[in-house]
Amino acid sequence: MQIKTFCVGMSLIWLSGCQALDSAMSTTDGILNKTGDILSGDFRGLGPAKKATLSEIWRDWQQNEITAKRKWDTQRLEVPGIITRITKTGEVISQNQIAIIFKDPTNSSCKGQALTRDELKVNMDKISHLKVGDRVTVTGVLGTTESKWSAQNECWFSFDKAEIIKIAK
């Protein structure tokens, strides 16, 4: 009986320790991300977000891709979207990211992907309540190497270091 009580007690302590650790990771996540940005010299994610749409960025891209990159790539952006897919990017440890694929609410031919920094539990928890069809706000920096101009004149943009927030209906 005492061994059973001891085992149950130890299990509860272990679970509460894991929950406390996860809570601490969630709390420090933003601070660590900003510190990582500062250390890497990428200051784009530190400023206030500028509201834009995929269609708006696309119009600039069609006019002059170099000027558009210079305009949009230097800042943090806040873009509305409707989720079309939730997936992961790969199996390599340093490249595992959660990818939220979304479309512009007013122009379904304009699509984007929001890439989290990684697939750690804190990010898994953040996206666990999302599903296809949800309206979201994606905040992140334009990943111009991932964004592309295709031969079919396709609108596609990638957002790195993304935060995805579900919009209440």
Side-chain angles (χ1 to χ4, degrees), residues 83-91 95-102 112-116 118-119 123-124 127 130-132 156 164:
I83 295 176
T84 59
R85 185 174 179 204
I86 302 169
T87 188
K88 287 182 5 182
T89 60
E91 297 302 321
Q95 296 175 351
N96 284 356
Q97 295 174 297
I98 298 166
I100 307 295
I101 312 302
F102 63 100
Q113 74 177 353
L115 299 172
T116 61
D118 49 48
E119 64 166 350
N123 287 326
M124 293 291 239
I127 62 100
L130 299 175
K131 62 185 183 304
V132 170
W156 172 264
I164 301 98

Side-chain angles (χ1 to χ4, degrees), residues 28-154:
T28 60
D29 183 49
I31 295 166
L32 291 175
N33 289 340
K34 287 182 180 14
T35 302
D37 291 344
I38 291 168
L39 292 174
S40 72
D42 186 356
F43 302 108
R44 297 176 299 163
L46 302 177
K50 177 181 180 174
K51 291 186 181 206
T53 65
L54 293 175
S55 296
E56 185 179 2
I57 298 167
W58 180 238
R59 275 190 298 275
D60 285 348
W61 217 264
Q62 288 176 307
Q63 297 299 314
N64 183 328
E65 188 175 335
I66 295 180
T67 302
K69 279 184 183 181
R70 193 171 50 233
K71 175 181 179 181
W72 296 106
D73 191 39
T74 59
Q75 57 198 319
R76 192 166 157 236
L77 301 170
E78 182 179 306
V79 179
I82 299 172
I83 295 176
T84 59
R85 185 174 179 204
I86 302 169
T87 188
K88 287 182 5 182
T89 60
E91 297 302 321
V92 178
I93 300 273
S94 64
Q95 296 175 351
N96 284 356
Q97 295 174 297
I98 298 166
I100 307 295
I101 312 302
F102 63 100
K103 63 183 178 181
D104 188 310
T106 61
N107 178 0
S108 62
S109 66
C110 255
K111 296 178 179 69
Q113 74 177 353
L115 299 172
T116 61
R117 291 174 184 271
D118 49 48
E119 64 166 350
L120 292 178
K121 185 176 181 334
V122 67
N123 287 326
M124 293 291 239
D125 288 349
K126 287 178 184 178
I127 62 100
S128 65
H129 65 285
L130 299 175
K131 62 185 183 304
V132 170
D134 283 347
R135 289 184 172 268
V136 294
T137 300
V138 172
T139 304
V141 296
L142 190 61
T144 52
T145 57
E146 297 286 334
S147 303
K148 62 183 180 185
W149 175 284
S150 74
Q152 294 83 21
N153 206 23
E154 178 184 64

